[in-house]
Amino acid sequence: MFDVLVRSVPSRTSLRYLRSFNRVPSLVRDLSSVTAEDVTHFSKILSPSCVLSTFPPSSAPVEELANFNSDWMGKYKGASTTVLKPKNTQQVSEILKWCWERRIGVVPQGGNTGLVGGSVPVNDEVILSLRNMNNIRSFDPVSGILVTDAGCILESLTEFIAPHRHIMPLDLGAKGSCMIGGNVSTNAGGLRLLRYGSLHGSVLGLEVVLPDGTVMNQLSTLRKDNTGYDLKQLFIGAEGTLGVVTGVSILTAAAPEASNNVILVLRDFKDVLPLYQIVKQHLSEILSAFEFIDKGAYDLATKHGQGRALDDSDVEGAGCFVLVETSGGKREHDEEKLNELLESLLSADKPLITTGVLSQSPAQFSSLWALREGVTEAVSKEGKAYKYDISIPLSAFKDVVDATREHLRKKGLMRDDAVKHVIGYGHVGDGNLHLNVVAQTYSKEIESALEPFVYELVESYRGSISAEHGVGVMKTHALHYTKDAVSIEWMKKIKELFDERGIMNPGKVIV
Ligand SMILES: Cc1cc2nc3c(=O)[nH]c(=O)nc-3n(C[C@H](O)[C@H](O)[C@H](O)COP(=O)(O)OP(=O)(O)OC[C@H]3O[C@@H](n4cnc5c(N)ncnc54)[C@H](O)[C@@H]3O)c2cc1C
């Protein structure tokens, strides 16, 4: 019953009521709704195909706006009447200038794969889709520096630089849809962070249109620039609350000559940490990923066809799995190291693993990765997911999953018609656990059983309530579990400084 997409456009008051489940924050400022006059103005800035609105001259049916108004999980719904798809920075600037004057809220949208409801409106804000800004501006194969429009899809960028023997410093399951501007705006982590670090390091420059339409050109291609405050950092992870990222300059990495992967099967979670220590020491410079999947996550991935299931005999007695990837300069050398590691693990007096399945071909390499990368997709096929993307000490991963399951059991919610699974997976190397509660449907009862329970648990470990997905609309009320009052106050001051009218992505991150 909470999944109803708002099909007609009711008054703002009733919209707030309808979507109270989305926690529309009380501090959202009074903003103007888009009118026919606004759409006429936007139609002077953009060509007709780039304006999608229920108002003339576009007069699109509300259904055509549905995908823009709904997030990837189908959990958060907006009621925007107007989607604008500019083709260049100048057009973004003119749109924002108008919205600033008219006090119209603006929601920047990339691939709309975000998992915290940041990319859809809380009311009827304009959606500014970056999908038509998809030109690669330059690539220097010597330095590896790529300058690109914000609307380029991550996978397309990967494909563009591959012939130049470079790879993007980030990779994630949503690569086929997410856009580099969205990645930067969420400070996406993903599967390569262990090796290449966060976007705070690899992004060299940004072009940003500020809320009043001013263009801030920080599109530097310099690796070193110590001329005072590094303003671009503020926009990395700002989730569209400070401005619209229109251009990105990013340092890509030389492609490794060889990549291998292996799935290690463990009886017990307690062995993951000693295993991580051994793997790190043994593989050292060629270790590029160390990912964890518990048995529940593995079962869901295979049930929904993500990767090929391991042989039954390999999975027997398994408590959890670890995917190890190596990327290095010489195939024989890397394979030798990986084989030696496997042999020593299996011949140890008290082996930490029961077996290891090594990929032997590019197809097997992808299939093993799919078991891990495909968990998010599998979860969404299985039911409605409550996703907690948290940073906690590695030693606490299993305790947090178990404690959450036990808590829900005590509340009588671990039943087929309520919560079907509580699973854990994630980036062990980064201390990032994805705690997923898979339910039959979204309900108030489950949500209030989970929150603040999960946030208090995270706080007790001095962890973070968002390791990589961001705050969006989902966690605005929970920031204080991770940030102290002084930090939150300064975040508010920064927001105020850039956007005193509160038009940029209202109701998100800081309210
Ligand atoms: C299957 C799957 C796997 C995923 N795996 C990972 C993972 O491993 N690691 C990870 O970190 N995330 C992951 N995610 C979450 C998501 O893909 C990332 O957050 C991604 O970076 C979002 O990019 P996007 O283009 O889809 O942005 P959107 O979802 O469109 O937007 C996300 C936020 O950024 C803002 N925004 C978008 N573009 C701009 C712009 N140009 N300027 C200003 N603000 C903007 C939006 O307003 C919104 O607040 C996954 C999602 C899915 C569906």
Side-chain angles (χ1 to χ4, degrees):
M1 76 184 270
F2 293 106
D3 259 3
V4 182
L5 178 67
V6 180
R7 297 243 171 241
S8 60
V9 183
S11 72
R12 294 176 68 81
T13 331
S14 59
L15 278 171
R16 274 172 198 274
Y17 171 74
L18 263 178
R19 281 168 298 99
S20 57
F21 178 63
N22 288 0
R23 300 176 190 289
V24 177
S26 56
L27 288 181
V28 174
R29 291 181 202 187
D30 255 352
L31 295 168
S32 310
S33 288
V34 174
T35 63
E37 189 202 345
D38 296 318
V39 178
T40 305
H41 181 80
F42 295 139
S43 303
K44 287 181 195 151
I45 303 172
L46 305 175
S47 58
S49 64
C50 300
V51 180
L52 187 64
S53 176
T54 52
F55 290 106
S58 173
S59 302
V62 172
E63 287 70 25
E64 263 191 52
L65 292 129
N67 286 343
F68 295 94
N69 268 317
S70 176
D71 75 321
W72 188 85
M73 298 177 293
K75 185 176 180 187
Y76 300 97
K77 314 282 182 186
S80 178
T81 59
T82 304
V83 179
L84 303 176
K85 296 181 257 181
K87 290 189 169 163
N88 55 50
T89 305
Q90 183 56 32
Q91 291 179 344
V92 175
S93 164
E94 286 177 38
I95 291 166
L96 285 194
K97 224 174 259 169
W98 182 263
C99 292
W100 177 257
E101 287 304 324
R102 289 262 304 112
R103 294 178 188 264
I104 294 170
V106 178
V107 179
Q109 192 176 90
N112 200 10
T113 66
L115 298 173
V116 287
S119 52
V120 294
V122 291
N123 279 318
D124 58 354
E125 299 85 85
V126 160
I127 295 172
L128 191 100
S129 166
L130 276 296
R131 62 172 59 179
N132 281 342
M133 288 191 62
N134 52 14
N135 289 317
I136 290 169
R137 301 191 190 179
S138 66
F139 179 67
D140 175 1
V142 178
S143 64
I145 295 169
L146 172 71
V147 183
T148 166
D149 279 357
C152 286
I153 290 177
L154 179 60
E155 194 166 54
S156 315
L157 295 175
T158 303
E159 283 163 8
F160 177 83
I161 59 176
H164 302 283
R165 303 175 70 78
H166 277 75
I167 58 168
M168 295 298 286
L170 78 161
D171 185 22
L172 46 145
K175 56 178 159 263
S177 308
C178 65
M179 296 173 186
I180 191 71
N183 299 147
V184 167
S185 301
T186 53
N187 187 23
L191 307 161
R192 290 187 183 150
L193 193 133
L194 183 68
R195 167 66 70 92
Y196 300 108
S198 102
L199 289 174
H200 281 294
S202 48
V203 171
L204 302 180
L206 292 179
E207 176 187 83
V208 181
V209 181
L210 300 177
D212 67 357
T214 309
V215 180
M216 187 165 87
N217 188 343
Q218 292 234 328
L219 209 49
S220 162
T221 51
L222 306 173
R223 290 196 66 179
K224 298 177 87 172
D225 173 17
N226 271 356
T227 49
Y229 309 134
D230 189 359
L231 293 177
K232 71 172 182 292
Q233 298 295 353
L234 284 175
F235 298 89
I236 301 174
E239 300 179 53
T241 58
L242 299 179
V244 179
V245 174
T246 49
V248 177
S249 160
I250 188 165
L251 183 65
T252 68
E257 286 294 319
S259 290
N260 294 300
N261 63 7
V262 59
I263 286 235
L264 305 175
V265 184
L266 293 85
R267 215 169 272 116
D268 204 316
F269 176 81
K270 72 173 172 34
D271 294 331
V272 172
L273 291 192
L275 179 68
Y276 183 39
Q277 242 173 333
I278 292 174
V279 169
K280 255 200 317 191
Q281 274 161 6
H282 193 99
L283 297 176
S284 60
E285 83 289 352
I286 63 167
L287 175 64
S288 54
F290 190 95
E291 296 283 318
F292 163 74
I293 327 169
D294 72 11
K295 180 68 169 42
Y298 171 86
D299 288 343
L300 283 185
T302 52
K303 176 178 172 186
H304 293 286
Q306 307 291 324
R308 204 166 65 84
L310 308 183
D311 291 344
D312 286 351
S313 56
D314 290 332
V315 180
E316 212 180 296
C320 61
F321 305 80
V322 160
L323 186 143
V324 174
E325 185 195 67
T326 62
S327 304
K330 207 161 186 199
R331 181 168 296 282
E332 300 76 32
H333 165 265
D334 297 357
E335 277 173 4
E336 197 180 314
K337 265 189 135 176
L338 203 50
N339 281 321
E340 275 173 16
L341 169 70
L342 273 179
E343 273 167 33
S344 74
L345 284 171
L346 287 167
S347 60
D349 284 346
K350 288 187 183 157
L352 298 172
I353 61 169
T354 57
T355 188
V357 179
L358 194 61
S359 64
Q360 306 286 350
S361 66
Q364 285 179 8
F365 178 84
S366 305
S367 177
L368 289 191
W369 257 122
L371 287 169
R372 162 62 191 88
E373 272 190 295
V375 177
T376 312
E377 189 98 33
V379 163
S380 77
K381 288 183 176 154
E382 179 72 6
K384 299 292 180 189
Y386 290 89
K387 290 180 166 290
Y388 297 96
D389 148 51
I390 56 185
S391 277
I392 46 170
L394 303 184
S395 55
F397 273 31
K398 183 167 186 296
D399 292 348
V400 166
V401 179
D402 289 348
T404 306
R405 191 182 295 113
E406 191 47 34
H407 174 72
L408 292 169
R409 185 168 287 128
K410 280 190 186 145
K411 296 251 172 204
L413 289 167
M414 288 301 301
R415 10 172 258 263
D416 268 359
D417 64 335
V419 174
K420 295 157 76 176
H421 313 276
V422 178
I423 61 164
Y425 59 100
H427 316 293
V428 169
D430 317 330
N432 174 190
L433 172 72
H434 294 306
L435 166 69
N436 280 203
V437 174
V438 190
Q440 185 63 33
T441 183
Y442 292 125
S443 83
K444 267 277 174 226
E445 195 188 9
I446 299 173
E447 189 183 334
S448 44
L450 285 169
E451 296 174 24
F453 175 81
V454 173
Y455 297 136
E456 285 171 357
L457 205 53
V458 171
E459 189 184 33
S460 72
Y461 289 106
R462 296 181 63 82
S464 170
I465 58 158
S466 174
E468 58 178 15
H469 294 163
V471 178
V473 72
M474 178 185 173
K475 302 175 199 161
T476 50
H477 64 295
L479 263 190
H480 65 277
Y481 288 103
T482 299
K483 291 258 192 299
D484 75 344
V486 175
S487 308
I488 292 177
E489 206 42 47
W490 276 94
M491 282 171 73
K492 284 184 175 165
K493 285 183 192 172
I494 289 169
K495 166 74 179 168
E496 195 73 23
L497 191 63
F498 280 95
D499 184 20
E500 65 181 38
R501 298 189 177 179
I503 67 161
M504 286 311 308
N505 217 355
K508 315 292 167 54
V509 184
I510 191 97
V511 291

